[in-house]
Amino acid sequence: MTGEGHIIFAIASAIFAKRAELTLVLGQADWWHLIPATLLTCLLPDIDHPKSLLGRRVKWLSYSVAHTFGHRGFTHSLLAVAFVLCLFQINVNNKGWLLLPTDVLQSLTLGYTSHIAADILTPAGVPLLWPCRWRFRLPVLNGQRGNHIERTVCVALVVYALWFPPSWPSHFLDTLQHRVSELIDIQKAY
């Protein structure tokens, strides 16, 4: 996926996370914290590729990470998400160690994980359980067909994130609970 695709996908993820109240904090997050923090980290996993949008700007770091882990290795795993989460939780200032606001912390994590989720949609997939080399993929986006398909899908996700009904999680859970209750009642009848 291209840098442009990751940025648009991150915007869709941020809008969806807030509107769907993915977490209580993200549901109440300030848009001025949510969008910039998500965009700040949405390209970070590609630090392992020297020709990526971010890798070209910090070549010395990108070459080191690429040499150590390879492209779509550690930086595209759940272990990296846990590592980044720990790093983002610490904020240094003159008074010592302070925590970032929770909505910023969750937005930074959302941006990082949106990148990994977007790369799952490519044929190459990602090694979520790194160092295990299994690749998780759902090859919806194929880079060989051109960036216009990627752009179209990502923009469609932004439109959907703006359009979908915000009450879907509670409605979905209520429906699920109702169906399970019906199933239990049917089982009791026999």
Side-chain angles (χ1 to χ4, degrees):
M1 184 171 258
T2 64
E4 175 191 21
H6 282 298
I7 290 169
I8 299 169
F9 192 89
I11 291 169
S13 299
I15 294 167
F16 178 79
K18 181 161 177 65
R19 295 208 57 225
E21 296 180 3
L22 200 57
T23 67
L24 184 61
V25 171
L26 288 174
Q28 297 173 352
D30 180 356
W31 284 108
W32 291 103
H33 289 172
L34 179 65
I35 299 294
T38 302
L39 290 175
L40 187 64
T41 56
C42 73
L43 298 176
L44 192 55
D46 275 345
I47 193 70
D48 64 0
H49 193 295
K51 292 184 180 177
S52 69
L53 192 61
L54 183 60
R56 288 185 299 221
R57 280 148 182 80
V58 285
K59 285 184 181 183
W60 60 273
L61 179 60
S62 185
Y63 279 111
S64 299
V65 175
H67 179 71
T68 305
F69 301 110
H71 180 52
R72 289 198 186 177
F74 167 74
T75 62
H76 287 72
S77 69
L78 294 176
L79 186 59
V81 173
F83 178 74
V84 167
L85 186 58
C86 290
L87 284 179
F88 290 154
Q89 207 164 12
I90 300 170
N91 183 19
V92 181
N93 72 6
N94 296 338
K95 297 178 184 175
W97 300 94
L98 296 175
L99 297 177
L100 289 169
T102 309
D103 62 342
V104 172
L105 172 63
Q106 288 190 13
S107 299
L108 290 169
T109 306
L110 177 67
Y112 196 95
T113 55
S114 77
H115 181 105
I116 295 171
D119 279 349
I120 287 174
L121 300 176
T122 65
V126 296
L128 282 179
L129 302 176
W130 186 91
C132 180
R133 297 201 184 274
W134 294 336
R135 294 271 175 174
F136 292 79
R137 63 181 65 100
L138 182 63
V140 174
L141 301 174
N142 188 346
Q144 295 172 347
R145 291 189 212 144
N147 292 344
H148 63 282
I149 293 174
E150 175 184 305
R151 185 179 303 120
T152 302
V153 168
C154 291
V155 169
L157 288 172
V158 170
V159 170
Y160 178 73
L162 290 168
W163 172 78
F164 87 97
S167 62
W168 77 270
S170 61
H171 178 68
F172 173 75
L173 293 175
D174 290 344
T175 304
L176 182 63
Q177 182 180 14
H178 179 70
R179 299 289 183 220
V180 169
S181 297
E182 286 178 345
L183 184 61
I184 290 170
D185 290 342
I186 291 170
Q187 294 296 325
K188 285 181 185 179
Y190 290 109

